[in-house]
Amino acid sequence: EISRARQPQYPSKMGITRNSYKKRRATGGKQPQYRKKRKFEMGRAPAATKIGTKRVRTVRVRGGHLKWRALRLDHGNFSWGSEAISRRTRVLDVLYNSTNNELVRTKTLVKNAIVQIDATPYRQWYQQHYGVQLGKATAEDSAKVSRAVISKREGRKKNSAALSDALDLQFKTGRLLACIASRPGQSGRCDGYLLEGTELAFYQKKMQKKKTKVVETK
C-alpha cells in the first residue's frame, strides 16, 4: 500500500474558463486555440442563492482576497428612495427576472431580480415619522404625543410628497416590490431598493403580461 506522502500528485483540473478565444467571432467562425487554459482566466460555478436561513461561505480568490458566497439568504437592507431611509426586512418571494423565468421558478436571488419584501419596518417608520398608519385603513395615529411632536409631524407632511396610490395599495397587502442591487454570490448580501413611480409601473405591467400569458397557455 502506498503511503499518503508517496502518492503521486496529479494536477488539479480547471474546468470552467472565462477566456475569449473559446467564443466564436461575430461572423460565427471559430477562433484558433493558441494556448491552454490559464489560472487567471478561471471561472467558478454560480452561487444560485436561494431564500432560506442565512448560509454564507467564503471563497479565497486571486490576490488572496475573499468573496462571500451566499447560498441561502432571507433578509436584506432595502432603501426607500423617496423617503431617504433604509430598513432591514425579510425577503418573501422572487416574482420577476428579465434574464430567465427559471430563476423565478427556483426562487434564485440574483442582482436585478424583482422580489417581494415585508412592509412592516417601513410602515412602523412612516407611523413614527408622520403619525399616519399605513395599512388596511390609512388613518392618523391615535397614540398620545406632545404638541411639539404634532407640529413637527405636520411640518414633515407639508415638505414631503404624498404617498403614491400604487405604493399605498402595496402597504395594504403588507408586501412591497423591490429590486436587488447587490450581488449575493459575490458580497454575501441581498440589498436593494423599493420600486416606485415609473419603474414600479413598468415591472407591474411586465408581471401582469406574464400572468395573462400563463392563463392563455392553460
Side-chain angles (χ1 to χ4, degrees):
E1 187 181 345
I2 302 172
S3 65
R4 185 171 291 182
R6 292 183 60 192
Q7 281 181 357
Q9 298 295 314
Y10 298 105
S12 60
K13 294 180 180 177
M14 289 167 45
I16 302 172
T17 183
R18 298 175 64 244
N19 55 32
S20 58
Y21 55 80
K22 289 283 184 183
K23 298 181 74 174
R24 287 176 178 261
R25 295 190 177 95
T27 55
K30 284 187 176 181
Q31 297 192 58
Q33 186 175 341
Y34 56 90
R35 68 178 183 202
K36 292 197 174 183
K37 294 176 183 178
R38 297 291 188 264
K39 175 77 173 176
F40 58 81
E41 295 169 342
M42 184 183 75
R44 293 183 183 87
T49 311
K50 300 291 191 293
I51 298 173
T53 308
K54 185 178 178 181
R55 190 188 301 170
V56 179
R57 300 288 180 265
T58 54
V59 181
R60 194 265 186 195
V61 296
R62 187 173 165 87
H65 301 291
L66 289 177
K67 285 184 179 181
W68 284 268
R69 184 82 78 235
L71 305 177
R72 301 278 185 278
L73 286 175
D74 59 352
H75 281 77
N77 287 330
F78 290 86
S79 65
W80 189 353
S82 60
E83 295 292 347
I85 64 148
S86 181
R87 289 291 179 272
R88 187 169 186 269
T89 187
R90 198 157 50 97
V91 179
L92 303 172
D93 199 3
V94 179
L95 295 184
Y96 182 77
N97 194 311
S98 59
T99 309
N100 191 351
N101 285 336
E102 193 69 9
L103 297 175
V104 180
R105 188 187 68 80
T106 55
K107 301 191 187 306
T108 306
L109 299 174
V110 292
K111 186 177 178 179
N112 271 18
I114 305 303
V115 295
Q116 208 170 45
I117 61 173
D118 186 17
T120 306
Y122 304 96
R123 189 193 293 120
Q124 289 171 345
W125 174 86
Y126 203 89
Q127 183 177 344
Q128 183 267 330
H129 195 71
Y130 293 111
V132 177
Q133 291 179 344
L134 296 173
K136 293 179 181 177
T138 303
E140 294 292 322
D141 189 3
S142 58
K144 288 184 179 180
V145 291
S146 65
R147 281 181 292 179
V149 172
I150 292 170
S151 63
K152 194 179 282 187
R153 285 175 174 176
E154 290 299 324
R156 286 169 182 165
K157 286 178 191 176
K158 287 177 184 176
N159 296 329
S160 66
L163 191 71
S164 66
D165 293 337
L167 211 55
D168 189 34
L169 197 64
Q170 287 186 73
F171 270 109
K172 286 177 181 176
T173 63
R175 297 181 170 209
L176 302 173
L177 290 178
C179 179
I180 298 175
S182 66
R183 300 171 69 192
Q186 307 288 319
S187 63
R189 297 179 63 88
C190 181
D191 300 336
Y193 59 92
L194 303 189
L195 295 179
E196 298 180 85
T198 53
E199 191 176 13
L200 174 60
F202 173 81
Y203 282 112
Q204 282 179 331
K205 191 176 178 182
K206 284 280 185 185
M207 284 184 275
Q208 188 60 40
K209 194 175 180 182
K210 186 179 160 187
K211 279 182 184 176
T212 51
K213 269 188 179 179
V214 171
V215 172
E216 285 172 5
T217 52
K218 285 180 180 180

